[in-house]
Amino acid sequence: MSAVEGTRKDAGFSPMAALKAPLMVALLLIVLLLALGEYLSPGFASAQQILRLLIVAALMGIVAAGQNLVILGGREGIDLSVGGVVSLAAIIAGNLMSGQDSGILLAVLGCLAAGALIGLINGIGVTLLRIPPLVMTLGMLGVLQGLLVVIRNGIPSGRAAPGLSGFVTQPLFLGLPGIIWLWIAIGLLMAFLLRRTILGYRIYAIGSNEQAAFMAGMPVKTTRILLFVLSGMFAAIAGICLLGYTGSSFANVGEQYMLPSIIAVVFGGTPLSGGKGGYTGTMAGAILLTVLQGILTTVNIDESGRQMVFGATLLLLMLFYGRGQALRT
Amino acid sequence: MSDIAIAPPKTAGHGLKRAIERFPFLPALLILVVLLVLNGLYQPRSVSLVGITGLVKTYLALMLLAVAQTYVVYAGDIDLSAGAIVSLVNVSIITAMDALGGGTSAVLLGLGLGLLVGLACGIVNGIVVAALRLQAIVATFATSIFFTGLALYVLPVAGTPAPTAFWRTYGGRILDIPFVMYAAVLLAVLLLVLARTQLTTRLLAVGDDQQAAYQSGLPVTRIRITGYALAGLFAALAAFCITGDTASGDPLVGGKMTLNSVAAVVLGGTALAGGFGTVTGSVIGALIIGLIGSLVFFVGTPSEWQNLVQGVAILVALMVGILVSRGARR
């Protein structure tokens, strides 16, 4: 972590600072929102409903894992192509398995390869050609949307295998469906990766000061390419799970994750400038976003009102997180 | 000495460098000319007056939205709500014109209201990003959700038609010259005037180095808010064109335009990091996107492949533009 954070911690435990930590804010807000939801519509915070919300949150959280890595890597790191990758993976998986359990392995491998390839192209464009990530991934999104049209015209939309649907929606172990366990595993993996591996240290180093990292002999470009590859692969995993959740893929199903995955990262305490933050907060951010959306769909208001409240609430919540420094002389 | 021998290419490189520094849109202009020639080769009629008028008529809205985006990008910010503002202005003016009876005065009042709505949206964005210091990408995404909600409130379903007087004027001719051509010339004059104002210089100064701009006494927050406000106004103008082109209200009409407006700005040679660029480039960028679309159609690409080919072509154009301008600037 950065030196600044270290010194702040050395100053001793302050309840105010702990309360302002993004993870705590997110958790507190999640509890408050669940209570509000229960008040507005009894049964909202029942175990079954919470489980359903967690499944939806897991989908967004898995996309946000890759997004988180790219953003941590700094230099305006962002991946707008994840929405396209999710849609693409959902349709590839649906076709490779076409409702058969025997096709799941092939589908997973195929999707991971596709996601990795797209991430690789993004990474090469961003590092070797030095195209700004926003531009590169925006262009890639356009390509993927075109690719989806082509695929959709050639082949049927495909169906999820029963095994996959069961994995996402049915209890697997201790009453929790497989996707929740998968998400927990990804959370642990990310925490391990970021805090206990050389790659993790490199990501923070590159994200906070690329020049210094380069001078220290770190493979800056390779690392950054790897981050984009991982982002593509995480988005692909989310796409497969999304197929399991919805049963069959439909047009641009993944677009709903593009910008919200970035918001989940920001709500989790990783600023878009990169170099600090982590995935635990992002997981809370994804749950927070999902619970908020859940409440808005439960409350009986028009779509217009729902969107206005959602937009205004997002802005309000952002006031808690990573506001920029005031300019000083 | 050997220096003399390599002098000519060196000065040539220098000249190009200086030219691109002064006119960052030169690479884009080159791409535009190539695209025009290709369009002309595959469909000679596309470069006739009728063809060009059609192109301008369809893409004037994107040009204006790209201009809107440019003023924000100048200062190093971004506006992901630009398309949502277009939608909101579109449904606002359609509803207002409809309620006022659809006569000439109703149309004018509607347009006035549209400008106010665009301005208000822009100021909201500016306050949220510059005064409250939220991160522009996520904050303007949040405002875009809010604006879309407002648009859905004003007009829940697409369909209310625009007054005949409005779209007839937009699609018609005055003194045998298409109306959109007047609009395009007016836009050019407006941009020329704006480019010479202090505001443009100040926006670029803020985008180049916010801290330095602040330390030299510029009111950075106010300048950034003004940038967003200007973007809101141009988004409103874009909405007028969309409304003239589609002749109806649609609460989601602008949503797809946001990312294209960003692409157009980048195609035009403006740096997303801020501090460097031109609105002319953004207008050219919007035309490039339009011409790529029509070229893909004219070469006879099967319809289901058109989006893919277009996507790849835009990605390549983005990369080429960035590489050329950087290579020349080095």
Side-chain angles (χ1 to χ4, degrees):
Chain A
M1 294 273 173
S2 68
V4 181
E5 254 175 302
T7 46
R8 206 182 287 152
K9 266 180 201 148
D10 291 343
F13 180 82
S14 112
M16 229 14 236
L19 213 62
K20 280 177 101 174
L23 180 63
M24 290 311 292
V25 175
L27 289 177
L28 201 69
L29 285 169
I30 291 168
V31 173
L32 281 177
L33 281 177
L34 281 175
L36 177 70
E38 180 68 29
Y39 170 76
L40 289 172
S41 142
F44 180 80
S46 69
Q48 206 188 351
Q49 276 303 311
I50 290 181
L51 200 59
R52 205 184 57 79
L53 286 174
L54 278 178
I55 293 175
V56 178
L59 292 168
M60 190 191 293
I62 295 172
V63 181
Q67 189 72 259
N68 203 167
L69 288 174
V70 170
I71 292 176
L72 276 177
R75 209 171 84 190
E76 321 269 284
I78 202 161
D79 190 350
L80 292 184
S81 69
V82 287
V85 178
V86 170
S87 306
L88 191 69
I91 192 164
I92 292 179
N95 277 281
L96 287 181
M97 65 180 73
S98 56
Q100 305 292 319
D101 277 351
S102 53
I104 292 183
L105 184 66
L106 179 69
V108 170
L109 291 177
C111 289
L112 283 178
L117 179 69
I118 293 162
L120 183 68
I121 300 174
N122 279 333
I124 288 176
V126 166
T127 53
L128 300 187
L129 302 177
R130 292 193 294 139
I131 312 285
L134 185 85
V135 179
M136 184 65 211
T137 57
L138 172 66
M140 180 57 77
L141 178 69
V143 173
L144 294 179
Q145 282 168 342
L147 193 60
L148 280 168
V149 175
V150 175
I151 295 179
R152 226 155 256 298
N153 265 282
I155 51 179
S157 72
R159 276 179 306 120
L164 178 66
S165 300
F167 177 79
V168 176
T169 53
Q170 301 303 317
L172 178 79
F173 181 64
L174 292 181
L176 297 179
I179 187 173
I180 304 288
W181 291 109
L182 176 69
W183 195 25
I184 293 172
I186 289 177
L188 292 173
L189 190 82
M190 288 282 288
F192 178 75
L193 174 91
L194 289 174
R195 293 196 190 146
R196 290 282 180 272
T197 64
I198 293 182
L199 178 63
Y201 285 110
R202 278 183 185 154
I203 294 172
Y204 285 106
I206 292 170
S208 44
N209 191 337
E210 185 178 337
Q211 191 67 28
F214 178 73
M215 292 299 192
M218 290 184 191
V220 173
K221 288 186 174 169
T222 322
T223 308
R224 184 161 284 132
I225 292 177
L226 184 63
L227 295 182
F228 277 97
V229 169
L230 285 172
S231 178
M233 290 172 80
F234 275 121
I237 295 174
I240 302 167
C241 295
L242 183 61
L243 175 74
Y245 185 67
T246 55
S248 63
S249 68
F250 45 94
N252 289 334
V253 69
E255 218 154 86
Q256 52 181 323
Y257 295 104
M258 185 175 82
L259 291 161
S261 71
I262 299 169
I263 293 198
V265 172
V266 170
F267 279 2
T270 305
L272 291 182
S273 47
K276 58 179 180 181
Y279 185 59
T280 326
T282 302
M283 293 175 84
I287 298 175
L288 175 60
L289 265 185
T290 312
V291 173
L292 183 59
Q293 277 171 326
I295 288 189
L296 289 172
T297 41
T298 333
V299 182
N300 186 23
I301 44 174
D302 285 344
E303 178 61 23
S304 60
R306 205 170 283 153
Q307 296 225 19
M308 280 190 270
V309 176
F310 187 48
T313 316
L314 288 182
L315 283 174
L316 198 66
L317 291 178
M318 277 171 205
L319 287 173
F320 286 104
Y321 296 97
R323 285 175 58 196
Q325 291 284 315
L327 289 165
R328 281 174 211 285
T329 41
Chain B
M1 284 209 267
S2 61
D3 265 341
I4 299 168
I6 56 165
K10 220 178 184 180
T11 33
H14 241 77
L16 184 68
K17 178 188 150 140
R18 219 178 299 158
I20 289 190
E21 215 150 64
R22 229 187 124 200
F23 307 106
F25 53 83
L26 280 181
L29 196 60
L30 191 71
I31 298 179
L32 180 74
V33 171
V34 170
L35 281 170
L36 271 174
V37 170
L38 286 174
N39 265 285
L41 283 179
Y42 282 99
Q43 177 53 267
R45 269 199 301 185
S46 70
V47 286
S48 66
L49 181 65
V50 180
I52 298 290
T53 307
L55 182 78
V56 173
K57 184 167 176 274
T58 315
Y59 285 94
L60 194 55
L62 185 60
M63 287 185 225
L64 284 159
L65 203 63
V67 168
Q69 190 69 255
T70 315
Y71 288 116
V72 180
V73 172
Y74 271 175
D77 291 315
I78 198 164
D79 186 359
L80 293 188
S81 74
I85 300 179
V86 168
S87 305
L88 179 57
V89 172
N90 165 262
V91 295
S92 302
I93 63 174
I94 286 280
T95 312
M97 288 173 184
D98 195 46
L100 293 170
T104 313
S105 57
V107 168
L108 291 177
L109 277 173
L111 295 183
L113 174 81
L115 286 176
L116 283 181
V117 170
L119 181 66
C121 291
I123 290 175
V124 167
N125 279 331
I127 289 176
V128 162
V129 173
L132 297 179
R133 302 196 304 276
L134 300 183
Q135 305 179 73
I137 292 182
V138 283
T140 54
F141 174 58
T143 57
S144 86
I145 299 176
F146 184 79
F147 296 152
T148 308
L150 266 179
L152 283 166
Y153 175 76
V154 174
L155 189 70
V157 280
T160 310
T164 319
F166 184 69
W167 60 263
R168 278 249 171 95
T169 312
Y170 184 79
R173 285 158 179 270
I174 300 172
L175 297 176
D176 239 23
I177 297 171
F179 175 81
V180 286
M181 288 304 179
Y182 290 104
V185 170
L186 208 64
L187 172 67
V189 173
L190 183 62
L191 293 184
L192 204 66
V193 171
L194 274 171
R196 290 180 184 245
T197 57
Q198 214 183 23
L199 177 63
T200 302
T201 322
R202 289 177 157 207
L203 283 169
L204 286 168
V206 169
D208 188 49
D209 188 339
Q210 215 177 92
Q211 186 70 31
Y214 180 76
Q215 281 173 343
S216 57
L218 289 180
V220 170
T221 306
R222 212 166 61 205
I223 291 171
R224 289 170 75 194
I225 295 177
T226 317
Y228 274 105
L230 199 56
L233 281 174
F234 273 96
L237 294 179
F240 296 168
C241 296
I242 280 271
T243 314
D245 200 33
T246 64
S248 71
D250 177 353
L252 303 172
V253 69
K256 295 264 170 208
M257 292 173 72
T258 305
L259 294 180
N260 268 343
S261 74
V262 177
V265 169
V266 178
L267 280 172
T270 298
L272 276 186
F276 181 80
T278 56
V279 282
T280 317
S282 306
V283 170
I284 296 175
L287 280 172
I288 289 178
I289 292 178
L291 282 174
I292 286 179
S294 58
L295 181 64
V296 168
F297 178 75
F298 289 143
V299 296
T301 317
S303 65
E304 68 269 24
W305 286 86
Q306 280 174 11
N307 289 31
L308 178 60
V309 177
Q310 201 176 336
V312 173
I314 290 177
L315 179 59
V316 170
L318 284 168
M319 292 167 126
V320 168
I322 287 177
L323 290 177
V324 168
S325 57
R326 193 173 47 219
R329 262 195 285 164
R330 203 181 291 146

